[in-house]
Amino acid sequence: MEGKTSTKISRRIILTLLYLSFTCFQKCESTSDSLSSISDPSIVVIGAGASGIAAATKLVELGFHNVRVIEAENRIGGRIHTIPFRTNVVELGAQWCHGEKNNAVYEMAEKFDLFGRTLSEYNRLDTVWSNGTIVPTNVSNHLMEIFQKLIKETKSSKGYPEGSSLGSVLRKSYMDFFAEPENTHIEHELATQFFKMYSASECASIGCSNLTEVSIPGYFTYIESEGNQIIYWKERGYVTILDIMMKKYPEGGQSTNLLENRISLGKKAKEIIWDGRKNSKVLIKTEDGDDIEADHVIATMSLGVLQESHSKLFNPALPPEKARAIESWQLGTVDKMLIEFEKPFWPSNWEGYTLLWRENDELNFPKEKKWLLDVIAFHPFPPQPNVLFGWITGTSARYMETLPEEEVLEGIMFLLRKFMPWNVSDSISFKRTKWYSNPNFRGSYSFVPVKAEKAGVTAKDLSKPITQQAGGLPVLLFAGEATNDHSYSTVHGAIETGWREADRIASFYAKKNTTQPL
Ligand SMILES: Cc1cc2nc3c(=O)[nH]c(=O)nc-3n(C[C@H](O)[C@H](O)[C@H](O)COP(=O)(O)OP(=O)(O)OC[C@H]3O[C@@H](n4cnc5c(N)ncnc54)[C@H](O)[C@@H]3O)c2cc1C
Ligand SMILES: *[C@@H]1O[C@H](CO)[C@@H](O)[C@H](O)[C@H]1NC(C)=O
Ligand SMILES: *[C@@H]1O[C@H](CO)[C@@H](O)[C@H](O)[C@H]1NC(C)=O
Ligand SMILES: *[C@@H]1O[C@H](CO)[C@@H](O)[C@H](O)[C@H]1NC(C)=O
Ligand SMILES: *[C@@H]1O[C@H](CO)[C@@H](O)[C@H](O)[C@H]1NC(C)=O
Ligand SMILES: *[C@@H]1O[C@H](CO)[C@@H](O)[C@H](O)[C@H]1NC(C)=O
């Protein structure tokens, strides 16, 4: 009897072990993974952008073995997109490390001497009229300081109805300011055109089309990391931050690749079945016909992707409060245009111009080319001495994306020849980004719109995981720049959210370990 029972038990154990090692053989990247799915859960990270790489590397460092990343594009990086260009690289996505203090990018990379610094902040560029006349620096600085001061004052001013936008409150206080007798000496054209120009420039850093979309309390939830806001990568580009997280950089020494064989490129999740029909696992169906099972899924796709697809992506549908949070937030579009010349036609100490339209030029501008009025600025960039970078945001950026490349270039050359006080040579190459048109992004970076404030939704609603009723197991977790409540729209903010979700999973198991010893 006794013997029989123990044989039965050991047979069952052997079968279980065989089954587990077989499924592991099929599913795990590394066949040496432990057999216990309780202490070593399977975790799938959707998206290999900054937040996805941060989450996956942290999980591996915390000792989780069964970690896998699936990425729809054929490259890692997401909105970090460094491409080789001439003897260096260019950035089609993130370009600068915004700040030095409490900034994960700065803290990880500073020691490698990869950073460069320019003299001016991008919102401190000189301003040029559409007839090529430069606004004296003391005048543009004066106007900019007024604008900045009035923005700051919207935080504390109480005289406007709740749900008013940053744009509407600012326009009123700006107009009131210039109506005061002591300020009427400033030309009307200068004051009004400057307001439009500076609003557009502020919108490019926020991601909006118009400041009237932006929530005032939402705007002030962003906390700037102190220090230089435009630290750039001298060489190797922004993608290096991913290599640093994966321990691929610096090369040599003890460097390994924490995510070796764990990232599947060109694998797009098309359905996420999460209601635990079979035990509590989540099933991810991919466009190329794979079924991937996981105990935890960290979703990092952009807010724009979620907005477009959440109702068909998640099965069953997300809880209504989650769906509402996703729908009321906003992903802005910011695009770049990169114009290469044989050699610079601009002086070597020039840092760029912001474009200011004369009222008459603006009024007489052909209707079908109106998007060009919204091109904000052109500036050179030290790692690419022969390239000018142009910026456009919002509705006009989305429109620009639909135009043929030659038409965009033609428009850009027209602008350069109109505004630049130098002899502008023909370009030798041209590139523009299409962040909105790409279905894996649907935009550039997020901000808090008035409609989110009205719906009473906060970034916490976006980041809150979906847990299994019993035991609070976090099954669907959300990371990505938009889920950061203070550093959204940045790379360092995205990285923080990946680490946050890795820690959430780890602390769940740590808790489980202490409360239910195995
Ligand atoms: C033009 C531009 C300029 C910017 N400039 C700066 C800057 O100077 N400084 C700064 O700090 N930040 C900047 N940013 C913002 C910064 O790039 C982002 O905040 C950050 O990179 C976002 O990382 P993420 O991981 O949240 O999202 P993402 O990088 O979007 O990563 C999500 C990944 O998920 C993938 N994906 C989507 N759907 C699926 C699916 N169904 N299945 C599988 N994979 C999927 C996507 O392909 C993507 O790779 C800029 C962004 C843009 C576009
Ligand atoms: C260019 O336009 C601005 C604004 O209208 C004006 O102040 C300036 O005098 C003009 N410059 C020339 C050279 O006409
Ligand atoms: C700018 O400088 C000029 C001459 O140096 C001066 O006349 C003008 O008042 C200054 N303008 C402002 C706004 O400071
Ligand atoms: C922004 O929106 C306001 C209000 O709708 C509008 O009056 C203004 O012209 C817009 N600004 C731009 C630059 O489109
Ligand atoms: C501008 O370039 C053209 C063609 O290269 C040349 O003929 C002209 O002299 C240049 N003008 C100036 C002001 O440099
Ligand atoms: C849980 O406990 C096991 C056994 O002591 C240990 O191997 C594992 O690393 C722990 N997991 C976490 C996430 O702390």
Side-chain angles (χ1 to χ4, degrees):
M1 269 279 281
E2 224 188 283
K4 226 174 166 183
T5 316
S6 64
T7 324
K8 240 179 169 170
I9 290 173
S10 49
R11 253 183 62 193
R12 190 177 293 161
I13 290 173
I14 288 166
L15 283 175
T16 311
L17 289 177
L18 272 174
Y19 171 72
L20 283 174
S21 52
F22 176 68
T23 47
C24 190
F25 185 70
Q26 280 189 310
K27 304 230 166 67
C28 308
E29 297 288 352
S30 140
T31 50
S32 65
D33 274 354
S34 107
L35 299 173
S36 163
S37 65
I38 297 164
S39 65
D40 199 9
S42 53
I43 305 166
V44 171
V45 178
I46 302 180
S51 63
I53 298 291
T57 49
K58 177 118 196 197
L59 285 165
V60 170
E61 284 179 312
L62 286 169
F64 292 92
H65 299 102
N66 204 340
V67 177
R68 178 170 182 188
V69 183
I70 62 167
E71 166 57 55
E73 295 272 321
N74 284 315
R75 59 174 182 88
I76 66 165
R79 283 171 272 170
I80 293 176
H81 192 187
T82 306
I83 58 165
F85 191 81
R86 305 302 172 205
T87 57
N88 200 342
V89 294
V90 290
E91 308 290 357
L92 300 181
Q95 190 145 349
W96 291 288
C97 167
H98 295 311
E100 299 166 40
K101 215 169 158 195
N102 298 323
N103 183 313
V105 171
Y106 187 83
E107 279 156 18
M108 285 190 279
E110 163 61 8
K111 57 175 172 280
F112 299 120
D113 187 32
L114 297 165
F115 285 152
R117 288 165 169 80
T118 42
L119 293 175
S120 308
E121 299 273 308
Y122 45 81
N123 59 6
R124 288 261 173 189
L125 296 179
D126 275 335
T127 300
V128 59
W129 284 109
S130 48
N131 59 6
T133 299
I134 315 296
V135 178
T137 309
N138 68 337
V139 174
S140 54
N141 281 347
H142 178 64
L143 288 167
M144 194 196 67
E145 273 148 25
I146 294 166
F147 191 91
Q148 294 281 10
K149 180 172 146 283
L150 295 176
I151 285 195
K152 286 211 184 80
E153 286 174 7
T154 61
K155 187 179 186 178
S156 51
S157 71
K158 292 270 177 281
Y160 56 84
E162 213 175 298
S164 300
S165 69
L166 183 64
S168 61
V169 172
L170 197 59
R171 170 178 291 275
K172 181 165 189 321
S173 59
Y174 190 88
M175 294 310 160
D176 288 352
F177 179 90
F178 286 101
E180 282 167 22
E182 67 270 28
N183 299 321
T184 47
H185 66 280
I186 295 176
E187 282 169 60
H188 176 80
E189 184 187 27
L190 182 65
T192 50
Q193 296 306 88
F194 196 90
F195 181 79
K196 281 191 211 162
M197 181 273 280
Y198 209 71
S199 296
S201 162
E202 189 64 30
C203 253
S205 75
I206 295 175
C208 49
S209 275
N210 188 316
L211 292 177
T212 54
E213 298 165 345
V214 181
S215 152
I216 296 173
Y219 177 82
F220 290 102
T221 57
Y222 182 84
I223 299 167
E224 198 168 275
S225 146
E226 277 170 44
N228 191 316
Q229 296 301 303
I230 49 165
I231 297 167
Y232 66 88
W233 298 79
K234 284 185 293 194
E235 53 198 59
R236 275 190 124 266
Y238 224 129
V239 73
T240 311
I241 199 66
L242 307 172
D243 293 340
I244 292 172
M245 286 194 277
M246 294 186 291
K247 305 241 185 294
K248 280 174 73 179
Y249 183 88
E251 289 101 349
Q254 301 170 315
S255 69
T256 47
N257 179 355
L258 288 181
L259 301 184
E260 183 98 60
N261 298 326
R262 293 181 186 277
I263 306 179
S264 308
L265 297 176
K267 205 172 262 306
K268 181 164 181 164
K270 71 165 189 207
E271 194 179 6
I272 301 169
I273 302 168
W274 58 278
D275 65 340
R277 263 170 223 160
K278 290 194 291 182
N279 49 59
S280 63
K281 291 204 188 276
V282 181
L283 183 68
I284 300 166
K285 291 187 166 293
T286 65
E287 276 187 355
D288 60 350
D290 245 0
D291 284 355
I292 306 169
E293 239 182 27
D295 293 302
H296 308 278
V297 170
I298 303 182
T300 78
M301 51 279 255
S302 77
L303 179 75
V305 171
L306 284 177
Q307 282 178 341
E308 183 176 66
S309 65
H310 78 86
S311 59
K312 49 184 191 294
L313 187 62
F314 294 95
N315 181 3
L318 292 172
E321 63 280 10
K322 185 58 124 189
R324 203 164 63 115
I326 289 169
E327 280 158 16
S328 48
W329 221 254
Q330 200 155 326
L331 187 69
T333 304
V334 178
D335 279 314
K336 301 186 199 185
M337 291 156 294
L338 281 59
I339 319 109
E340 187 193 17
F341 299 90
E342 203 166 81
K343 58 180 197 301
F345 58 77
W346 54 89
S348 60
N349 60 352
W350 178 63
E351 295 208 287
Y353 283 144
T354 307
L355 310 185
L356 189 63
W357 284 91
R358 300 177 73 214
E359 263 165 355
N360 269 337
D361 289 350
E362 188 181 66
L363 282 171
N364 298 326
F365 205 70
K367 236 180 47 219
E368 67 282 4
K369 292 198 158 64
K370 272 233 156 28
W371 69 274
L372 285 168
L373 295 172
D374 293 329
V375 173
I376 294 151
F378 290 103
H379 64 82
F381 188 56
Q384 287 295 343
N386 301 335
V387 177
L388 283 188
F389 284 66
W391 293 82
I392 188 163
T393 179
T395 318
S396 296
R398 291 187 280 271
Y399 178 73
M400 178 281 289
E401 291 188 14
T402 66
L403 298 174
E405 191 162 281
E406 313 79 70
E407 192 177 334
V408 178
L409 175 60
E410 192 190 318
I412 291 303
M413 291 309 295
F414 164 81
L415 285 184
L416 288 173
R417 294 199 161 112
K418 185 160 187 61
F419 282 84
M420 300 296 139
W422 312 293
N423 214 355
V424 176
S425 49
D426 285 336
S427 71
I428 59 169
S429 80
F430 179 68
K431 221 178 255 309
R432 48 82 191 257
T433 61
K434 288 185 170 188
W435 287 104
Y436 177 75
S437 312
N438 186 325
N440 295 328
F441 298 97
R442 292 290 182 234
S444 303
Y445 36 85
S446 68
F447 65 94
V448 191
V450 175
K451 64 177 194 269
E453 183 192 334
K454 286 185 173 156
V457 164
T458 68
K460 289 259 177 338
D461 298 312
L462 288 173
S463 63
K464 203 171 151 210
I466 290 168
T467 56
Q468 206 88 53
Q469 299 280 293
L473 182 80
V475 178
L476 291 180
L477 303 94
F478 295 85
E481 57 85 16
T483 71
N484 192 311
D485 61 5
H486 61 279
S487 301
Y488 51 88
S489 78
T490 67
V491 173
H492 64 273
I495 290 172
E496 281 177 15
T497 68
W499 288 344
R500 180 192 68 210
E501 296 312 312
D503 282 336
R504 195 191 302 276
I505 291 175
S507 66
F508 180 83
Y509 285 94
K511 204 159 60 200
K512 202 162 165 171
N513 273 1
T514 53
T515 55
Q516 312 174 327
L518 293 170

